[in-house]
Amino acid sequence: MRRLSTLGLLLILGLIMMGALGNSPRPPLTPVLPLPSLAAETPEFHYFSFLTNTAFSPVERVLLFGVLGIAFAGLAYAWMLMGQVNAADAGTPRMQQIAAAIREGADAYLKRQLTTVSILIVVLVVVLFATKAMTSPQGMSDPFALGRAFAFLMGAIFSATVGFVGMRLATTGNLRVAAAAKVGFGRALMLGYRTGTITGMLTDGLGLLGGTLIFMAYGEHAYEALLGFGFGGTLLALFMRVGGGIYTKAADVGADLVGKIEKDIPEDDPRNAATIADNVGDNVGDCAGMAADIFESYEVTIVAAMILGWASFGHIGVLFPILVRAIGVIASIVSTYLVKAGDKGNVAEAMKSINFGFLVGSAISVVGFLVLGYFFLRFDEAHISLDKLTAIKALPAWANWGVSGLDMRPAYSCLIGVILCVALNKVTEYFTGTEFSPVRGLVRNCETGHATNIIEGFAVGYESSVWTAIVLCSAILGSAMVYSGENALFVAYGVAMCGIGMLTLTGNTISMDVFGPVADNANGIGEMGYDREEMGEANYKEARQILADLDAVGNTTKAVTKGVAIGSAVIAAVSLFASYITVIGSGGQGESEAIPAGLFDHVAGLLTVSSPRVFIGMLLGGAVPLLFSSMTIRAVGRAAFLIVNECREQFRDKAIWEGTKKPDYGRVVNICTSSAQTELIGPAFLAVFTPVLVGFLLGPVALAGFLAGSIVVGQLMASFMCNAGGAWDNAKKMVEDEPRNLEANTGKGSEKHKASVTGDTVGDPLKDTAGPAVNPLLKVMNMVSILAVPLALQFDSETVNRVKEGAAKFHFPLPEKFAVSPINTFWMVTVAVCLALLIWAIRQSHREKA
Amino acid sequence: MRRLSTLGLLLILGLIMMGALGNSPRPPLTPVLPLPSLAAETPEFHYFSFLTNTAFSPVERVLLFGVLGIAFAGLAYAWMLMGQVNAADAGTPRMQQIAAAIREGADAYLKRQLTTVSILIVVLVVVLFATKAMTSPQGMSDPFALGRAFAFLMGAIFSATVGFVGMRLATTGNLRVAAAAKVGFGRALMLGYRTGTITGMLTDGLGLLGGTLIFMAYGEHAYEALLGFGFGGTLLALFMRVGGGIYTKAADVGADLVGKIEKDIPEDDPRNAATIADNVGDNVGDCAGMAADIFESYEVTIVAAMILGWASFGHIGVLFPILVRAIGVIASIVSTYLVKAGDKGNVAEAMKSINFGFLVGSAISVVGFLVLGYFFLRFDEAHISLDKLTAIKALPAWANWGVSGLDMRPAYSCLIGVILCVALNKVTEYFTGTEFSPVRGLVRNCETGHATNIIEGFAVGYESSVWTAIVLCSAILGSAMVYSGENALFVAYGVAMCGIGMLTLTGNTISMDVFGPVADNANGIGEMGYDREEMGEANYKEARQILADLDAVGNTTKAVTKGVAIGSAVIAAVSLFASYITVIGSGGQGESEAIPAGLFDHVAGLLTVSSPRVFIGMLLGGAVPLLFSSMTIRAVGRAAFLIVNECREQFRDKAIWEGTKKPDYGRVVNICTSSAQTELIGPAFLAVFTPVLVGFLLGPVALAGFLAGSIVVGQLMASFMCNAGGAWDNAKKMVEDEPRNLEANTGKGSEKHKASVTGDTVGDPLKDTAGPAVNPLLKVMNMVSILAVPLALQFDSETVNRVKEGAAKFHFPLPEKFAVSPINTFWMVTVAVCLALLIWAIRQSHREKA
C-alpha cells in the first residue's frame, strides 16, 4: 500500500471523485441538475442572455461591462507593476546567481506540483462534464454540463496562475529589493511592496473576471457554474497550501537544525546546502500557498454572495457583490500605489505607510459602497413581483434613508466586512506584535527556560483565538441583525456580503502578505550575495540594515494577514450553509430551484444541535482539523529529517565546510519537492473523503453538524496555531535584538535565546503549515459536502421522509424520482473506498521515516 | 478592583446568583416552578408517596429499599477498608513525621477551601429556597423550595465529603504503603489500591444514596430537587478541580524548577522547601479534585437519566438507572477486593491484577444489567396508558427477546456505556502508555531536542483527541440507534443510560485514580523517611524498588482514568440537552411539565446549526474552554513563580542546604493554599457568568449553540491536553530509565533527558490543571444554562413567539404569564454585572505577578 505512487493515488482520487460526483449504477435522482420535468418549465437557455433579457436595464448592462473593464484594469495595473519591477536594477552577477538558484528551485517545485495536479484536474473536468451530459436530454451539448466543467477548470487555472505568477514575481522581486537596498530604504520598500501588489491585483482581477464572465454567460442559471468555479479554486488552494506549507517548514526546520543548532552558523550561510531550499520555501509557502488561499476565499465568497443574492434580491442581488468587488479593485489600485517611504526610512515609517495605504483603501471602499448602494439598490414593482421583497416599501429610515424602494442593507453588510477585516488585523497584530504584552510576556518567560516559554505560548495562543472568535461573532451577528426579521436566505446573504466586504481590500492584503517572503529572500540574497569589499563597509552595513528592517516589516505584515485568511474561511462557510439546506430541501436539485421559506425552515430545523446525529457530526467535524494538523505536523518532521541527513552528509565534504566548494543545493530542493508532493496526499484525502464518508454513513443531517463542528474547531485551532507561532517567532526576534550578555542571560547565544529558539521552532510548523492549511481544508470540505449531499441524501430514509413531509406542506414539487434508496453497491463501494483511503492516510501519517 | 478579597468576590458571586436564579423586579414568569394554575391540576403532593402510590408495585418498593441498602453496603465496605488501612503498620516515627506534614498541608488547604466555599454554598441555599418560596402559594412550606435547596446542599456536602475523606485517607494510606513496601510488593499494592477504593466506594455509596433518597421523597416531582443535587455537586467539583489543579502544579513546577533544574537535586529531596507542598498537591489535585469530579459525573448522569427516564418510560424509567447503579456498587465491591499481587510482584503483574479486577467488574455488571432488564423492564397496560409506549408491543425480537411487554433497550444502552468506558481506557492507555508507539515516538524526538519533542507531542495529543471523539461518537450513535424511530426523549434517555453504564464501575475507576497519588506519595515518604542503615542495604533497595514500581503503576492507572472523566462530561451534557429544550418549550417551567413530542421537535428545530445565532453561540462556546485553559495555565505560572522565590530564599540558608536544618515547609504550603484560592476565582467566574451573559444578550437559541460548541471543543481540548501531557510525562520516564551515557545521549543528565524534562514540564499544567478542569467547566455551564434559561427566555421575543406558535399548534397550555418582556433594569443589571465580572476575570488573568 505504502508504495503507491503520487500519480497512482491522484488517479484513484480522480476515479473516486468520478464515482462520488457521478451517478450511482441505478440513478434514483439526478444530482445537482434540475430535472427535465422542471427544467421544461423554464424558458429555453441562451448564453449571454443578459444582453436581451428585459429584466436587465441598459444601465445594468453597461455596469456589467464596466466591471469587466475594471477587472482588466486591475490586471493591467499588475502588468504595469510587473514592468516596473522587471526594469529595476537586478544587482551584481553573484546576487543574480543566488536569485536564479532560488527561482530554479521554486520553478521545479511548482512544475512538479502542477504536473501532478493537472492530471487530477483533467480527470475531474471530464467527470464533471460527463456526469452532467449523460443525464441531460441535450446530451453533450448541455450548456450546464459545459458550464460546470469549464468553470471548474477556470477556477483551478486562475488559482494556479495566481500562485505561479505570484511566486515567480516574488523570485524576481527579491533580487531587485536586495539591489535597491544599496540605493535607499524607500525604493527597496516600494519595490518589495509592489511585487506583492502584482499578485494581489492578479487575485483581484482574475477573481472578478471569472465571476463576472460566468454571470454574463449563465445569468440566473449560474449556480452550478459558480460552484464549479469555487471548487476548482479551492481544490488547487488546498494542494498549494499543504504542499507549500510542508515544503517551506521542512526546509526551514531542516536548515535550522543543522545550520543554527548543530554547526552554529548563521541563517542563509551559503555553505549550508539547505539554504536555497529554505528561501525557495518562503516563496512556495507564503507566496504561492497564501495567494492561492486568499484567491480561493475571494472566489468562494463571491460564489456564495451571487448564489444567495439571486435567491434573495434577484439579479440586483447578484450584480451588487460584483460591483462591490469592482470598487475594491479601484480602491486597491489607488491605495497600494500610495505606499512609499523616504530614503532614510525605518520599520516604523514603513509600517505607517503600509497602514496608511490600507486606511485609504478602506475609506475609498466605504464611500464607494454607500454611493453605489444609494444609486443601485433600488427595487421597483418588477422586483417586488419576485415575491421576495414585499416588505421593501416598509423599511425603516436607517435602511432606506427615507427613499421609497431603496434598501441599503446589503451595503451595510459590506461595511461590517471592512470593519471585520481591520479588527482581525488588529487582533492578530496585538497577539503577535513585539510592541504588545503577549510577546513581551513570552520574552520574560524565556528567562526561566524552554518549558515556561512554551506554556506561556499556549496561554497566548488560546487567548488570541478567543478574541478572533469574538470579533468574528460580532461581525456575523451584525450582518444577521441588519436583516433581522427577514427570512433565513436574506440573513445568509447578509453574512455573504460581509465576506465580500471583508475581502474588498484583497489587493492590499496580498501585497502585505507577499511582501514578507520577498523581504525575507532579499535579506538572504544580501547575506549571501553582497560583496562587502566592493560595496565598502559603511554602504554594506547600511544596505544590510535596510534589508533587516524590511525583513522585520515583512514578518509583521505577513503575520497580520493570517487572521483575515481564517476569518474569510469561516464567513464563507457560514454563508454556504444556506446552499446546503436548499440542496437538501429541493430534493438534491440545488440552489437553482429556490425553495419556499417555510420549507427552508423545516429542513433547517432538522439540523438541530440537540439531535445526537448532528452532535456526533459536530464532534467528528471538530476532530478533522486536529487530525489534519497532526498529519501535516508529522509530515514536516519526516521531510525535515531527510534534509538534516542530506545536509550533514554534504558538510562532511571539507571543501564545502571551508566554503571553497559550492554545496549541491539542488539535492535538498529535490528532497523538499518530492516530500511535499508525497506528504500532501494524506491530508488531501482527509479533506476530500471524510465529508463523503460522513454523508454516506451518517446522513446529510450529521454532515451539516460535521461542517459546523469543523468550522468552529478549525477557526479556533487555526488562530491558536498561527498566533502562538507568530508570537514565538517575534519573541525570538526580540531576544536576538537584545545586547549579547551571557552573564545577564540576554541576547544571542544565551540560555534565554535557546529557549526562544525552541519556541520559534515549535511554532514554525504550527504557523506556516498546519494553521494556515486549515482554511482550504474547511472550504474543500464545504464544497465536497455540497456536491456530495444530493447523492448521500437518498440513503437516509429519515431525512428523505422529513423533506417530503415539508415539501408537501409547503407545496414544493420535488423531483419525481426523489425517493429512498436501499443500500446498494454504489453505497458500499463509496463507503469502502472512502474508509480504505482514510485508513491509508492515517497509517501513512504514522510512518517513522519519509 | 484587583484588591477584592476572595471572600468579597464569593459574596458578590452569591448575590449575582441570587439575582440570576431569583426573579426580576417585576416577574413576568415564574422560573422553573410550575405555575399555580397548572400545579392545581396535579394531585396534592406528599413526601415519600411511593409508599402509598399504587403506580408502584410492592416489588418496586422493596427494590427501592434494597437500593438504599446497597448504597449503605457500599459505604460499609468503604468503612471496612478504612479499618484495614488504619490498622496497617504505620512505619517509623520519621516516616510518620513526613506523612503528618503532608496531611497537615492537605488539611490546611481543604479547610481554607471549604470555609470559603461554604459561605457561597450557604448563600446559594438561601437563594434557591427563598426564590422558590416567595413565588409559591404555599410560601415557606413549599416542599419543592425546600427540596431544591436541600438537594443542592446535599449535593455540595456529598461532593465535598468525597473529596475530603478521599484525600485524608490518601494521606493515611501513603504512609501505610511506604511501610508495607518493606514487607512485600503484594501487600503494598493491596493497601494502596484499597485506599483508593475507599474513595471510590464513598462516591458510589453517596451518589446512589442521594439520588435514591430524592426519588423516594419526591417521586415524580423529583426534577427540581435532582437539578439542585446535580448543581451542588458540580459547583463544588469545579472549585476542587480548579483549586486543586492550580495547587498541585504550582507546587510541582515550583519544586522542579528550583530543585531539579537549578540545584540539580532529586525530586522529594527533604532540603527542598517545596517538597512537602508537592506531595500535598498530589493529594489535593488527584484525590480531592478527581474524586469530586467523578462524583459529580456520577451525580449528573443519574440526574439526567432519572429526569429523562420519567419523561420517557415513566417511573420504571427512573427506577432502572438507580437499580443499574446498585449493580455497579456490587460489582465494584467484588472486583476491587480481588486486586492483589504476590510478594515478588512487578509492574506488569500489578497492572494485570488491576485490569483483571476491572474485567470482572465489567462482567458482573453486564450480566447484572441483562438479568435486571429481563425481569424489570416489563411494561403492562398501566404503563402504556401513559401515552408514551404505544409501540412497546410491536418491538422487534432483538429488543423484547420474544417476550411481549419486555423492552431490553435501556439495558443495551448501559452495555454500550460499559464498552465505552473500556474503550476510552484503552485509547488513553495507547496514547500515554510506554509500550506503545506514540510515547516511543516522543522519546525518539527527544534526541533532536526540546522543540521536536514538543512538536511531536502536539501531533500525538491532537490525534489522541480524534480517537477519543470517534469512540464517544460511536457510543452516542449506538445509544441513539437503539432507540431509532422513537421520539427525541427516548433517544436522550438512551444516551443518558449510556452514561450510567459508563460510570457503573466508578468504584474501580476512582480506585485506580487515587492509587496514583498514594503511590507517588509513598515513594516520596520512602525517599525522605526510610532509614537506610537501620533497614540494611538489600532491604532498602528492595523496598525502594517496590515503591518505584508502584509509582509507575499509579502513573499509568491515573492517566487512564482521565479519558473516562472527560467522556462522562460529554455524555452527561448531551443527554441534558433534552431538558434544556423542554424548559424552553414549556415556557420556562422545566421538565416537570412534559411537553408533546411535536412541540419538542418544534423547539429543537429552532436550535439549527444553520442559524447564525446558534453558530455564533457555538463559536463563543468553543472559545470558553480555551480562555479557561489560558487562565488556569497562567495561574499556575504565577503561583509557581512565588514558590520559586520562596525556595530560593530558603536555600540561601546554609544550614538548610547542608541538611542540618529542616526547611520551613509550611511557608510554601501556605503560598500554594492562598494562591490556589485566589486564582480559582477568575476561571470560576468564567464558568458561571458566560452562559448567563450569552443567554441574556443573545438569547436561549444562541445559548444552546454555546453549550454544543463548548462540549465539542471542550472534549477535544481536554483530551489533547491530558493525553499530550501524559505522553510527555511517560516519555520522560522512559528516558530516565535508559542507562546513563552522555556520549550516546541517553539517560539522566543527557541533552535528550533535558528535552524530555521540557516536555514533561510543558505537559504538567496541561494534563493536571487545564485539561481535567474542563470537565466540571462543561457541567457547570450546562447546569447554569438550564437554571438561567427561564429568565433569559422572556427577553428574546423571537423565541417566545416561536414557542407560542408551537404550543398553540400542539395544544400545550403555556403559563398564563409567559410573554415577551422589554429590556428592563433586571436585564441591564444582569448583563452589566456579568460583563464587569468577566472583564475583571480576564484582566486579572493578565497580571504578571501573583
Side-chain angles (χ1 to χ4, degrees), chain B residues 105-355:
Chain B
D107 279 356
Y109 166 77
L110 265 203
K111 202 176 142 198
R112 179 112 164 237
Q113 166 100 305
L114 294 179
T115 315
T116 334
V117 171
S118 64
I119 298 168
L120 175 70
I121 299 293
V122 169
V123 171
L124 280 175
V125 167
V126 173
V127 171
L128 286 166
F129 177 74
T131 53
K132 191 95 192 176
M134 280 188 311
T135 57
S136 162
Q138 291 149 283
M140 302 285 277
S141 59
D142 182 329
F144 304 115
L146 215 65
R148 190 166 77 166
F150 183 75
F152 172 79
L153 187 64
M154 186 163 75
I157 289 178
F158 280 10
S159 189
T161 307
V162 168
F164 187 74
V165 175
M167 206 200 67
R168 278 225 102 196
L169 260 291
T171 56
T172 308
N174 53 16
L175 178 62
R176 269 68 176 177
V177 172
K182 295 181 186 172
V183 181
F185 187 88
R187 177 143 182 86
L189 171 73
M190 199 181 70
L191 269 176
Y193 191 79
R194 290 196 177 166
T195 303
T197 308
I198 299 169
T199 315
M201 295 318 295
L202 257 184
T203 304
D204 263 0
L206 290 179
L208 192 57
L209 188 66
T212 314
L213 279 179
I214 289 174
F215 182 69
M216 282 179 155
Y218 286 90
E220 57 225 55
H221 300 283
Y223 169 68
E224 290 210 35
L226 284 173
L227 268 194
F229 187 56
F231 186 45
T234 302
L235 199 66
L236 218 90
L238 180 76
F239 287 121
M240 305 275 267
R241 242 316 177 202
V242 177
I246 293 171
Y247 189 115
T248 180
K249 285 305 121 174
D252 191 6
V253 172
D256 282 0
L257 281 180
V258 176
K260 283 198 199 166
I261 295 179
E262 281 186 16
K263 298 285 176 186
D264 206 18
I265 54 177
E267 197 167 331
D268 294 325
D269 188 297
R271 289 170 296 174
N272 190 337
T275 190
I276 292 290
D278 186 10
N279 279 297
V280 171
D282 290 335
N283 294 297
V284 162
D286 290 321
C287 290
M290 179 76 172
D293 186 5
I294 294 198
F295 176 74
E296 165 213 26
S297 292
Y298 196 85
E299 259 187 27
V300 174
T301 47
I302 199 125
V303 164
M306 288 170 81
I307 290 174
L308 292 162
W310 172 252
S312 51
F313 284 104
H315 73 259
I316 289 190
V318 191
L319 278 172
F320 187 67
I322 303 181
L323 291 168
V324 166
R325 281 276 148 98
I327 291 175
V329 171
I330 298 171
S332 282
I333 291 178
V334 176
S335 62
T336 50
Y337 213 75
L338 290 177
V339 173
K340 46 191 62 154
D343 268 358
K344 297 281 166 215
N346 54 24
V347 174
E349 197 184 331
M351 283 309 300
K352 211 175 128 190
S353 174
I354 291 173
N355 285 333

Side-chain angles (χ1 to χ4, degrees), chain A residues 398-449:
Chain A
W398 64 262
N400 70 3
W401 294 7
V403 179
S404 171
L406 177 65
D407 183 356
M408 289 295 283
R409 291 176 300 177
Y412 293 151
S413 320
C414 292
L415 289 192
I416 292 175
V418 174
I419 298 169
L420 169 63
C421 183
V422 174
L424 282 177
N425 284 347
K426 290 288 161 207
V427 168
T428 317
E429 205 179 329
Y430 174 75
F431 281 99
T432 59
T434 47
E435 315 92 279
F436 303 101
S437 65
V439 171
R440 288 174 184 268
L442 287 181
V443 171
R444 214 166 38 241
N445 272 286
C446 285
E447 280 165 32
T448 35

Side-chain angles (χ1 to χ4, degrees), chain A residues 463 604 607-609 630 634 846, chain B residues 459 463 604 607-609 634 846:
Chain A
E463 202 188 338
L607 315 179
T608 167
V609 289
S630 168
R634 286 210 168 108
H846 284 173
Chain B
E463 200 186 340
L607 314 180
T608 168
V609 290
R634 286 208 168 110
H846 284 172

Side-chain angles (χ1 to χ4, degrees), chain B residues 21-174:
Chain B
L21 295 170
N23 283 305
S24 70
R26 39 171 224 69
L29 73 103
T30 322
V32 193
L33 170 81
L35 285 167
S37 63
L38 287 164
E41 290 165 24
T42 55
E44 211 190 326
F45 172 78
H46 293 289
Y47 286 109
F48 298 99
S49 63
F50 79 103
L51 291 168
T52 50
N53 190 332
T54 50
F56 290 84
S57 70
V59 175
E60 286 169 3
R61 279 175 209 146
V62 172
L63 281 175
L64 264 180
F65 281 110
V67 169
L68 217 55
I70 291 174
F72 282 114
L75 295 175
Y77 177 60
W79 184 260
M80 187 194 87
L81 294 181
M82 221 183 284
Q84 285 185 4
V85 170
N86 274 325
D89 174 28
T92 63
R94 186 164 148 200
M95 285 160 66
Q96 285 172 16
Q97 216 181 356
I98 295 159
I102 297 174
R103 162 177 286 207
E104 248 171 59
D107 279 356
Y109 166 77
L110 265 203
K111 202 176 142 198
R112 179 112 164 237
Q113 166 100 305
L114 294 179
T115 315
T116 334
V117 171
S118 64
I119 298 168
L120 175 70
I121 299 293
V122 169
V123 171
L124 280 175
V125 167
V126 173
V127 171
L128 286 166
F129 177 74
T131 53
K132 191 95 192 176
M134 280 188 311
T135 57
S136 162
Q138 291 149 283
M140 302 285 277
S141 59
D142 182 329
F144 304 115
L146 215 65
R148 190 166 77 166
F150 183 75
F152 172 79
L153 187 64
M154 186 163 75
I157 289 178
F158 280 10
S159 189
T161 307
V162 168
F164 187 74
V165 175
M167 206 200 67
R168 278 225 102 196
L169 260 291
T171 56
T172 308
N174 53 16

